[in-house]
Amino acid sequence: MLVRLSPAQRDLLLDHLHFGSRPVRGSHTLRTALDTATLADQRYGVDMSAEMVEAASFLLRFASAGDGPRREDSRSFDAAYILGPRQQTHRERLMSALAAGAEIREVRSFHDAAHRPRHGNDPEPWVITDTALNAEFRLPDDDVHPVWPLQPVLVISDSLSDDPVGLHPCRVPLRHLPSVLFTAKEYQLAPLVLLDDRSYATFKLRHMPRRPGLIVVCADLDDASTYPRGAVIAAEAVLRAGQDLSWLHLRMHDATECQYLPLDDLLTGDISDPPPPTGN
């Protein structure tokens, strides 16, 4: 979705991202989008995913938590309005995000906030624990924000091998689950999904919704049905196991905000071209 930012909002986000932001999902791709955005009619048009909108919303609030001129720039960026539904209150949005797997964090300290209301209409239902002070503090809805934590790359395979798609060595965290055991939430929250083509039929029976960042890894690209199968499930790419590893490692690190290896280390040596799309 195209989101229009004022120059002050863009500069505030870039300042915070360049000097080390909190590792929240969407922040790395947000920085790239902000760096390449163009100015038109005194606004920057930035192509953002929902994750990037949430990351921008949190980082704006975090960077301008105190009083001052930046606070207005923060509050004018309304993620709830951009993402909808428009009729949701901030509390309803917080509870929906919590149920969907988000963490709720205090804006200033980044402390985890637990939902522990004292009664149905508690104005301060969120509790943070300060271990240094050995004390708990209650917070209203306005002082907390949903944050989507970084997740491991999901590898869907029924193989008993510890490396069913030929990734080793790999410093990006992986979660290897059989095709019948991963949950819909794990599938949606994973930054990238690698599907072992040998488990394709069972995966197809799960009727998972389409999502970006689904890659099929197979043993034989010469099989004429490989690419059509990938297209049916809207796969981003189809790879042969153990090949295109330089591209795949770059793709994995990009999807996980480059938290596990400096990008410069990945760009040394030969980088393979991206694999052809599946045509979905």
PDB file of all heavy atoms in Angstrom, residues 153-175:
ATOM      1  N   VAL A 153      12.681 -18.553  10.275  1.00  0.00           N
ATOM      2  CA  VAL A 153      12.192 -19.007   8.973  1.00  0.00           C
ATOM      3  C   VAL A 153      11.550 -20.376   9.161  1.00  0.00           C
ATOM      4  O   VAL A 153      12.116 -21.250   9.828  1.00  0.00           O
ATOM      5  CB  VAL A 153      13.340 -19.064   7.957  1.00  0.00           C
ATOM      6  CG1 VAL A 153      12.915 -19.782   6.670  1.00  0.00           C
ATOM      7  CG2 VAL A 153      13.841 -17.652   7.646  1.00  0.00           C
ATOM      8  N   LEU A 154      10.373 -20.565   8.591  1.00  0.00           N
ATOM      9  CA  LEU A 154       9.654 -21.831   8.728  1.00  0.00           C
ATOM     10  C   LEU A 154      10.028 -22.765   7.575  1.00  0.00           C
ATOM     11  O   LEU A 154       9.888 -22.399   6.402  1.00  0.00           O
ATOM     12  CB  LEU A 154       8.146 -21.575   8.725  1.00  0.00           C
ATOM     13  CG  LEU A 154       7.242 -22.809   8.791  1.00  0.00           C
ATOM     14  CD1 LEU A 154       7.486 -23.603  10.075  1.00  0.00           C
ATOM     15  CD2 LEU A 154       5.768 -22.392   8.694  1.00  0.00           C
ATOM     16  N   VAL A 155      10.523 -23.956   7.910  1.00  0.00           N
ATOM     17  CA  VAL A 155      10.822 -24.996   6.927  1.00  0.00           C
ATOM     18  C   VAL A 155       9.775 -26.088   7.073  1.00  0.00           C
ATOM     19  O   VAL A 155       9.693 -26.745   8.113  1.00  0.00           O
ATOM     20  CB  VAL A 155      12.241 -25.572   7.140  1.00  0.00           C
ATOM     21  CG1 VAL A 155      12.512 -26.685   6.126  1.00  0.00           C
ATOM     22  CG2 VAL A 155      13.292 -24.471   7.019  1.00  0.00           C
ATOM     23  N   ILE A 156       8.962 -26.273   6.056  1.00  0.00           N
ATOM     24  CA  ILE A 156       7.906 -27.282   6.089  1.00  0.00           C
ATOM     25  C   ILE A 156       8.392 -28.515   5.330  1.00  0.00           C
ATOM     26  O   ILE A 156       8.600 -28.471   4.115  1.00  0.00           O
ATOM     27  CB  ILE A 156       6.602 -26.754   5.463  1.00  0.00           C
ATOM     28  CG1 ILE A 156       6.103 -25.524   6.224  1.00  0.00           C
ATOM     29  CG2 ILE A 156       5.534 -27.842   5.449  1.00  0.00           C
ATOM     30  CD1 ILE A 156       4.906 -24.846   5.583  1.00  0.00           C
ATOM     31  N   SER A 157       8.602 -29.584   6.066  1.00  0.00           N
ATOM     32  CA  SER A 157       9.112 -30.813   5.439  1.00  0.00           C
ATOM     33  C   SER A 157       8.767 -32.003   6.322  1.00  0.00           C
ATOM     34  O   SER A 157       8.887 -31.928   7.545  1.00  0.00           O
ATOM     35  CB  SER A 157      10.621 -30.722   5.242  1.00  0.00           C
ATOM     36  OG  SER A 157      11.133 -31.957   4.760  1.00  0.00           O
ATOM     37  N   ASP A 158       8.387 -33.100   5.684  1.00  0.00           N
ATOM     38  CA  ASP A 158       8.121 -34.338   6.410  1.00  0.00           C
ATOM     39  C   ASP A 158       9.367 -35.218   6.492  1.00  0.00           C
ATOM     40  O   ASP A 158       9.314 -36.315   7.041  1.00  0.00           O
ATOM     41  CB  ASP A 158       6.989 -35.110   5.720  1.00  0.00           C
ATOM     42  CG  ASP A 158       5.692 -34.311   5.681  1.00  0.00           C
ATOM     43  OD1 ASP A 158       5.415 -33.597   6.666  1.00  0.00           O
ATOM     44  OD2 ASP A 158       4.978 -34.371   4.658  1.00  0.00           O
ATOM     45  N   SER A 159      10.470 -34.748   5.954  1.00  0.00           N
ATOM     46  CA  SER A 159      11.712 -35.514   5.994  1.00  0.00           C
ATOM     47  C   SER A 159      12.280 -35.530   7.413  1.00  0.00           C
ATOM     48  O   SER A 159      12.143 -34.560   8.165  1.00  0.00           O
ATOM     49  CB  SER A 159      12.737 -34.897   5.036  1.00  0.00           C
ATOM     50  OG  SER A 159      14.009 -35.473   5.229  1.00  0.00           O
ATOM     51  N   LEU A 160      12.937 -36.628   7.775  1.00  0.00           N
ATOM     52  CA  LEU A 160      13.583 -36.739   9.082  1.00  0.00           C
ATOM     53  C   LEU A 160      14.980 -36.129   9.078  1.00  0.00           C
ATOM     54  O   LEU A 160      15.613 -36.039  10.135  1.00  0.00           O
ATOM     55  CB  LEU A 160      13.663 -38.218   9.492  1.00  0.00           C
ATOM     56  CG  LEU A 160      12.318 -38.924   9.689  1.00  0.00           C
ATOM     57  CD1 LEU A 160      12.540 -40.386  10.065  1.00  0.00           C
ATOM     58  CD2 LEU A 160      11.482 -38.214  10.750  1.00  0.00           C
ATOM     59  N   SER A 161      15.449 -35.705   7.925  1.00  0.00           N
ATOM     60  CA  SER A 161      16.766 -35.098   7.834  1.00  0.00           C
ATOM     61  C   SER A 161      16.791 -33.782   8.624  1.00  0.00           C
ATOM     62  O   SER A 161      15.780 -33.066   8.696  1.00  0.00           O
ATOM     63  CB  SER A 161      17.121 -34.817   6.371  1.00  0.00           C
ATOM     64  OG  SER A 161      18.243 -33.960   6.279  1.00  0.00           O
ATOM     65  N   ASP A 162      17.953 -33.461   9.209  1.00  0.00           N
ATOM     66  CA  ASP A 162      18.065 -32.187   9.913  1.00  0.00           C
ATOM     67  C   ASP A 162      18.306 -31.025   8.958  1.00  0.00           C
ATOM     68  O   ASP A 162      18.340 -29.861   9.379  1.00  0.00           O
ATOM     69  CB  ASP A 162      19.167 -32.235  10.978  1.00  0.00           C
ATOM     70  CG  ASP A 162      20.549 -32.466  10.371  1.00  0.00           C
ATOM     71  OD1 ASP A 162      20.624 -32.745   9.153  1.00  0.00           O
ATOM     72  OD2 ASP A 162      21.542 -32.377  11.116  1.00  0.00           O
ATOM     73  N   ASP A 163      18.454 -31.310   7.662  1.00  0.00           N
ATOM     74  CA  ASP A 163      18.638 -30.267   6.659  1.00  0.00           C
ATOM     75  C   ASP A 163      17.909 -30.674   5.374  1.00  0.00           C
ATOM     76  O   ASP A 163      18.532 -30.951   4.342  1.00  0.00           O
ATOM     77  CB  ASP A 163      20.132 -30.052   6.384  1.00  0.00           C
ATOM     78  CG  ASP A 163      20.397 -28.866   5.479  1.00  0.00           C
ATOM     79  OD1 ASP A 163      19.514 -27.987   5.371  1.00  0.00           O
ATOM     80  OD2 ASP A 163      21.480 -28.810   4.876  1.00  0.00           O
ATOM     81  N   PRO A 164      16.580 -30.715   5.412  1.00  0.00           N
ATOM     82  CA  PRO A 164      15.830 -31.274   4.279  1.00  0.00           C
ATOM     83  C   PRO A 164      15.881 -30.439   3.010  1.00  0.00           C
ATOM     84  O   PRO A 164      15.627 -30.958   1.926  1.00  0.00           O
ATOM     85  CB  PRO A 164      14.398 -31.361   4.819  1.00  0.00           C
ATOM     86  CG  PRO A 164      14.329 -30.303   5.883  1.00  0.00           C
ATOM     87  CD  PRO A 164      15.691 -30.296   6.502  1.00  0.00           C
ATOM     88  N   VAL A 165      16.200 -29.149   3.110  1.00  0.00           N
ATOM     89  CA  VAL A 165      16.211 -28.314   1.900  1.00  0.00           C
ATOM     90  C   VAL A 165      17.618 -27.811   1.564  1.00  0.00           C
ATOM     91  O   VAL A 165      17.778 -26.882   0.783  1.00  0.00           O
ATOM     92  CB  VAL A 165      15.225 -27.125   2.037  1.00  0.00           C
ATOM     93  CG1 VAL A 165      13.805 -27.625   2.116  1.00  0.00           C
ATOM     94  CG2 VAL A 165      15.552 -26.259   3.246  1.00  0.00           C
ATOM     95  N   GLY A 166      18.663 -28.424   2.155  1.00  0.00           N
ATOM     96  CA  GLY A 166      20.034 -28.132   1.763  1.00  0.00           C
ATOM     97  C   GLY A 166      20.529 -26.753   2.120  1.00  0.00           C
ATOM     98  O   GLY A 166      21.164 -26.087   1.296  1.00  0.00           O
ATOM     99  N   LEU A 167      20.287 -26.304   3.354  1.00  0.00           N
ATOM    100  CA  LEU A 167      20.652 -24.948   3.761  1.00  0.00           C
ATOM    101  C   LEU A 167      21.959 -24.840   4.529  1.00  0.00           C
ATOM    102  O   LEU A 167      22.526 -23.766   4.630  1.00  0.00           O
ATOM    103  CB  LEU A 167      19.545 -24.359   4.648  1.00  0.00           C
ATOM    104  CG  LEU A 167      18.311 -23.819   3.927  1.00  0.00           C
ATOM    105  CD1 LEU A 167      17.273 -23.405   4.936  1.00  0.00           C
ATOM    106  CD2 LEU A 167      18.679 -22.646   3.044  1.00  0.00           C
ATOM    107  N   HIS A 168      22.407 -25.891   5.149  1.00  0.00           N
ATOM    108  CA  HIS A 168      23.552 -25.805   6.055  1.00  0.00           C
ATOM    109  C   HIS A 168      24.823 -25.448   5.297  1.00  0.00           C
ATOM    110  O   HIS A 168      25.036 -25.946   4.186  1.00  0.00           O
ATOM    111  CB  HIS A 168      23.735 -27.135   6.792  1.00  0.00           C
ATOM    112  CG  HIS A 168      22.684 -27.363   7.824  1.00  0.00           C
ATOM    113  ND1 HIS A 168      22.646 -28.493   8.616  1.00  0.00           N
ATOM    114  CD2 HIS A 168      21.614 -26.610   8.214  1.00  0.00           C
ATOM    115  CE1 HIS A 168      21.605 -28.432   9.432  1.00  0.00           C
ATOM    116  NE2 HIS A 168      20.970 -27.312   9.192  1.00  0.00           N
ATOM    117  N   PRO A 169      25.682 -24.612   5.904  1.00  0.00           N
ATOM    118  CA  PRO A 169      25.489 -23.923   7.191  1.00  0.00           C
ATOM    119  C   PRO A 169      24.605 -22.695   7.021  1.00  0.00           C
ATOM    120  O   PRO A 169      24.612 -22.075   5.950  1.00  0.00           O
ATOM    121  CB  PRO A 169      26.920 -23.515   7.576  1.00  0.00           C
ATOM    122  CG  PRO A 169      27.602 -23.301   6.264  1.00  0.00           C
ATOM    123  CD  PRO A 169      27.007 -24.316   5.311  1.00  0.00           C
ATOM    124  N   CYS A 170      23.889 -22.339   8.058  1.00  0.00           N
ATOM    125  CA  CYS A 170      22.983 -21.202   7.996  1.00  0.00           C
ATOM    126  C   CYS A 170      22.837 -20.606   9.388  1.00  0.00           C
ATOM    127  O   CYS A 170      22.524 -21.322  10.340  1.00  0.00           O
ATOM    128  CB  CYS A 170      21.612 -21.645   7.468  1.00  0.00           C
ATOM    129  SG  CYS A 170      20.420 -20.311   7.374  1.00  0.00           S
ATOM    130  N   ARG A 171      23.057 -19.297   9.509  1.00  0.00           N
ATOM    131  CA  ARG A 171      22.977 -18.650  10.810  1.00  0.00           C
ATOM    132  C   ARG A 171      21.588 -18.079  11.098  1.00  0.00           C
ATOM    133  O   ARG A 171      21.313 -17.637  12.209  1.00  0.00           O
ATOM    134  CB  ARG A 171      24.031 -17.535  10.895  1.00  0.00           C
ATOM    135  CG  ARG A 171      25.447 -18.096  10.950  1.00  0.00           C
ATOM    136  CD  ARG A 171      26.498 -17.008  10.905  1.00  0.00           C
ATOM    137  NE  ARG A 171      26.376 -16.083  12.033  1.00  0.00           N
ATOM    138  CZ  ARG A 171      27.236 -15.087  12.251  1.00  0.00           C
ATOM    139  NH1 ARG A 171      28.258 -14.916  11.432  1.00  0.00           N
ATOM    140  NH2 ARG A 171      27.083 -14.286  13.283  1.00  0.00           N
ATOM    141  N   VAL A 172      20.730 -18.061  10.109  1.00  0.00           N
ATOM    142  CA  VAL A 172      19.353 -17.602  10.341  1.00  0.00           C
ATOM    143  C   VAL A 172      18.594 -18.691  11.098  1.00  0.00           C
ATOM    144  O   VAL A 172      18.636 -19.861  10.711  1.00  0.00           O
ATOM    145  CB  VAL A 172      18.647 -17.303   9.009  1.00  0.00           C
ATOM    146  CG1 VAL A 172      17.168 -16.998   9.229  1.00  0.00           C
ATOM    147  CG2 VAL A 172      19.326 -16.148   8.299  1.00  0.00           C
ATOM    148  N   PRO A 173      17.890 -18.359  12.179  1.00  0.00           N
ATOM    149  CA  PRO A 173      17.125 -19.380  12.912  1.00  0.00           C
ATOM    150  C   PRO A 173      16.047 -20.015  12.035  1.00  0.00           C
ATOM    151  O   PRO A 173      15.366 -19.335  11.274  1.00  0.00           O
ATOM    152  CB  PRO A 173      16.496 -18.578  14.058  1.00  0.00           C
ATOM    153  CG  PRO A 173      17.355 -17.384  14.218  1.00  0.00           C
ATOM    154  CD  PRO A 173      17.842 -17.045  12.838  1.00  0.00           C
ATOM    155  N   LEU A 174      15.933 -21.334  12.162  1.00  0.00           N
ATOM    156  CA  LEU A 174      14.951 -22.089  11.387  1.00  0.00           C
ATOM    157  C   LEU A 174      14.028 -22.846  12.330  1.00  0.00           C
ATOM    158  O   LEU A 174      14.431 -23.281  13.398  1.00  0.00           O
ATOM    159  CB  LEU A 174      15.666 -23.109  10.482  1.00  0.00           C
ATOM    160  CG  LEU A 174      16.758 -22.586   9.533  1.00  0.00           C
ATOM    161  CD1 LEU A 174      17.447 -23.752   8.854  1.00  0.00           C
ATOM    162  CD2 LEU A 174      16.163 -21.630   8.514  1.00  0.00           C
ATOM    163  N   ARG A 175      12.779 -22.988  11.908  1.00  0.00           N
ATOM    164  CA  ARG A 175      11.842 -23.854  12.624  1.00  0.00           C
ATOM    165  C   ARG A 175      11.376 -24.917  11.633  1.00  0.00           C
ATOM    166  O   ARG A 175      10.673 -24.635  10.681  1.00  0.00           O
ATOM    167  CB  ARG A 175      10.652 -23.060  13.169  1.00  0.00           C
ATOM    168  CG  ARG A 175       9.617 -23.957  13.882  1.00  0.00           C
ATOM    169  CD  ARG A 175       8.429 -23.140  14.393  1.00  0.00           C
ATOM    170  NE  ARG A 175       8.814 -22.304  15.506  1.00  0.00           N
ATOM    171  CZ  ARG A 175       8.475 -21.032  15.642  1.00  0.00           C
ATOM    172  NH1 ARG A 175       7.773 -20.426  14.702  1.00  0.00           N
ATOM    173  NH2 ARG A 175       8.844 -20.338  16.704  1.00  0.00           N
TER     174      ARG A 175
END
